[in-house]
Structure formats: C-alpha cells, structure tokens
C-alpha cells in the first residue's frame, strides 16, 4: 500500500524521502531491552519481566518497518505490538493486586486491547489508539505507585519513569502539532526535526525505569511470602 493509506504520518515523512532519523532511533528500544534482559538475569526476575523486554524488541522491529516503509501493514506491525507490550506491563504488576482481582484485571487488560484493536482496524482512528495505549500504560503505573509504600519500596524510580514518559509525550504532541500546522522542520539542524526520534529514546528509557521499579516491587513482594 502507498503511504497515504496509513492512519498517521510523521513530520520526517513530509520532508524526506525516507525517515532516516525515525527509523534509526529505534535502536534505543533494543539497547534498553538488552539492559532489561541483563537485569532480569542478574536479579532473577519472573517471566513477565523477560516477556516485557522481548516485547520491546518486537516493538522496535515493528517501528522500523513502519517508519521504513510508511505502509498500513507497517503501521500495524508497529502498533499491535505496542498494545501487546502494554498488556505485559499489566502482567508484571498484577501479582501486587489482591488475588481475587488479578484474573479480572488481566481479562480487562487483554480484552480492552483486543476491542481497541478491532476498533482501530475498522476505523483507522489513531487518536483513539493513542488514548487506548495511554490508558493501558497508566493502569499498571498506578498499581505500582500505590503498591510501593506497603512493600517498603521507594518511589524514586517511579518518578523517573513519570518524568521520562511525560517528556516523551510532550515531544510526541509537539511533533503532531507541527504536522497539523504544516510547519514540519525541513533541516536536521533544527532541534524540532528530532522530536519523534526523541520520543523513541525517552519512551525506551521510561520503559527501563518502569521495569526496574516493577522488578523492585516484585522482589519485595516475594520476600514477604
């Protein structure tokens, strides 16, 4: 399919024949995933954490395909793994919930992702997709935040996650506003040219901070059993 079939376009696609920066910046996801896998091994974290890092690698591959091809198929290969990764985020913290809530939480998380994907496939509504993904990420983040005091885990890493994800979201929204106004920077010498690449780097770093914090919680919970 041609690039006009995609649900969302980025500024670099408007001013360059190929999205070099947006494609190459996906290396950040792989780098942080490798760091996460090492953390899983050194701290002997449970399987959901390994799944989260492997899922991030899949997101990286999908993002490369999307920015490299600018096709609807490439977009799906980018965004479907993002929804899956968000479900895995929930999996890493579901053990912090009361046992009677754990299964319903996973059903709601997985079912919501499936329903949202069905809506996205039908309507190609990227604003809806973005909102769904935000809610999916927010839910496990709030569970982790609320669980920390009872487990004696400091929230410093959680606040680092918050700062990184908010910074990434600001970069994302600024880039979208430039695109909507037809004001996309044409030169890589302009710092605004790198906004979407910056989103990749900051969101990857936010992932690492979140998984470090979730891992701290999981280990603290295991010690209390």
């Amino acid at each position: 399919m041609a690039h006009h079939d995609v649900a969302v376009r980025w500024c670099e696609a408007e001013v360059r024949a190929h999205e070099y920066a947006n494609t190459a910046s996906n290396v950040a996801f792989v780098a942080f995933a490798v760091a996460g896998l090492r953390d899983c091994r050194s701290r002997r974290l449970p399987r959901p954490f390994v799944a989260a890092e492997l899922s991030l690698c899949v997101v990286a591959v999908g993002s490369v395909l999307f920015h490299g091809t600018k096709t609807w198929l490439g977009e799906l290969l980018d965004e479907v793994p993002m929804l899956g990764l968000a479900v895995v985020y929930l999996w890493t913290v579901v053990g912090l919930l009361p046992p009677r809530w754990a299964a319903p939480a996973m059903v709601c998380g997985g079912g919501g992702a499936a329903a949202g994907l069905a809506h996205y496939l039908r309507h190609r509504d990227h604003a809806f997709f973005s909102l769904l993904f935000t809610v999916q990420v927010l839910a496990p983040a709030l569970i982790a935040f609320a669980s920390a005091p009872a487990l004696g885990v400091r929230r410093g890493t959680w606040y680092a996650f918050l700062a990184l994800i908010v910074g990434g979201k600001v970069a994302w929204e600024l880039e979208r506003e430039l695109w909507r106004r037809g004001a996309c920077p044409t030169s890589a010498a302009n710092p605004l040219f790198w906004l979407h690449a910056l989103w990749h780097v900051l969101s990857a770093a936010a992932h690492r901070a979140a998984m470090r914090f979730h891992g701290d919680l999981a280990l603290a919970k295991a010690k209390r059993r």
Side-chain angles (χ1 to χ4, degrees):
M1 290 185 178
H3 61 259
H4 60 265
D5 291 316
V6 299
V8 62
R9 291 195 60 172
W10 307 103
C11 269
E12 192 177 9
E14 303 295 343
V15 300
R16 294 283 187 274
H18 301 286
E19 294 185 49
Y20 296 111
N22 290 349
T23 302
S25 57
N26 286 289
V27 71
F29 292 118
V30 177
F32 280 106
V34 169
L37 288 170
R38 289 176 176 172
D39 190 45
C40 289
R41 182 176 180 180
S42 65
R43 298 205 290 168
R44 298 183 180 180
L45 294 173
R47 279 179 284 185
F49 292 89
V50 176
E53 306 306 340
L54 295 178
S55 296
L56 187 64
C57 290
V58 175
V59 168
V61 172
S63 184
V64 166
L65 292 172
F66 177 32
H67 291 295
T69 66
K70 293 178 281 190
T71 63
W72 173 239
L73 177 59
E75 185 171 355
L76 289 179
L77 292 173
D78 174 30
E79 292 168 351
V80 173
M82 289 173 64
L83 297 178
L85 174 60
V87 174
V88 177
Y89 285 158
L90 181 60
W91 191 20
T92 64
V93 298
V94 73
L96 304 174
L97 295 172
R100 67 181 182 278
W101 293 0
M106 288 304 301
V107 170
C108 288
L117 176 59
H119 175 89
Y120 189 54
L121 290 172
R122 180 176 177 83
H123 300 286
R124 300 193 183 190
D125 182 353
H126 192 269
F128 173 83
F129 167 83
S130 181
L131 176 62
L132 173 64
F133 183 69
T134 299
V135 171
Q136 280 189 291
V137 170
L138 184 60
L142 291 177
I143 292 171
F145 181 85
S147 301
L151 293 171
V153 175
R154 294 184 178 181
R155 290 169 168 163
T157 311
W158 190 92
Y159 288 117
F161 151 77
L162 182 63
L164 288 163
I165 200 65
V166 169
K169 185 63 173 175
V170 168
W172 170 298
E173 293 298 340
L174 283 174
E175 197 274 352
R176 299 312 302 146
E177 180 60 22
L178 290 173
W179 185 88
R180 284 188 290 267
R181 288 165 43 198
C184 292
T186 58
S187 170
N190 185 336
L192 296 178
F193 179 88
W194 299 92
L195 284 171
H196 193 69
L198 180 62
W199 153 254
H200 286 165
V201 174
L202 291 178
S203 61
H207 164 95
R208 179 82 294 273
M211 291 302 96
R212 181 73 188 185
F213 185 67
H214 293 191
D216 291 343
L217 294 171
L219 294 175
K221 179 82 171 181
K223 287 181 180 179
R224 297 198 173 196
R225 288 174 183 166

